[in-house]
Amino acid sequence: MNPLYGISVSGKPHLVPVTTWPADPHQLVLTRCGSLSLREIPEPAPGHLCGSCQRLHTSDQQQEAAARRHHQRHVEPVCRQIADEINRLRARLRTDLELPAHLAMTPAHRSEQAAIVTGLLAALAITLGVPSDGNAAEIYTQQHTSL
């Protein structure tokens, strides 16, 4: 999220906790440190924010960095494992369709494997925080192999 900045009556820049500035130009906005802001301004130079807003901004940046590290260390490996398992099971199901009937899985076993794939797709979608669809594993794999 990109922070918005506003200027107070004193002329000091502050962080504003709204995602879009109010349409009414005469409306005051309460800043993160509790001051009232008159209007939106471009991002101020480092060190120009009021002291409280500067600390809040630094804390926000540290939390975002920690969240990115947590995602890379813990969520990404799980997503990779889930996507790999989905792709492996799907490949096995596709291959099974080409086998002669006496070598193929039973319909019950095939249904069970398909249900597992469906469950893993739901788990991957939840982990990624995206709407569930049947292509989540392929999309995830493509995005992360092209990096």
Side-chain angles (χ1 to χ4, degrees):
M1 182 181 95
N2 293 334
L4 284 181
Y5 301 93
I7 194 158
S8 65
V9 177
S10 68
K12 195 76 172 163
H14 296 274
L15 279 171
V16 178
V18 294
T19 54
T20 58
W21 201 262
D24 181 4
H26 301 293
Q27 183 176 351
L28 295 174
V29 175
L30 189 63
T31 63
R32 297 237 350 240
C33 68
S35 300
L36 290 175
S37 183
L38 303 169
R39 61 185 166 78
E40 184 177 7
I41 59 170
E43 183 174 357
H48 282 80
L49 286 173
C50 80
S52 295
C53 286
Q54 185 65 45
R55 285 188 294 279
L56 288 166
H57 187 59
T58 302
S59 174
D60 291 346
Q61 290 175 330
Q62 290 170 347
Q63 287 177 356
E64 288 172 8
R68 280 192 302 274
R69 284 191 307 273
H70 172 77
H71 191 270
Q72 288 173 341
R73 287 186 192 142
H74 302 290
V75 178
E76 285 295 323
V78 171
C79 288
R80 260 186 251 113
Q81 289 174 346
I82 293 172
D84 290 346
E85 185 64 13
I86 290 169
N87 291 330
R88 187 186 67 75
L89 288 171
R90 277 185 168 169
R92 197 165 97 196
L93 284 168
R94 283 187 200 111
T95 312
D96 184 65
L97 293 174
E98 298 168 3
L99 292 175
H102 68 282
L103 296 175
M105 291 184 223
T106 64
H109 189 237
R110 191 176 298 118
S111 294
E112 180 182 283
Q113 293 295 304
I116 291 170
V117 169
T118 303
L120 288 171
L121 281 168
L124 183 61
I126 290 168
T127 305
L128 294 173
V130 296
S132 180
D133 73 8
N135 298 323
E138 283 91 359
I139 292 168
Y140 178 82
T141 304
Q142 288 170 0
Q143 287 175 344
H144 288 80
T145 54
S146 63
L147 296 178

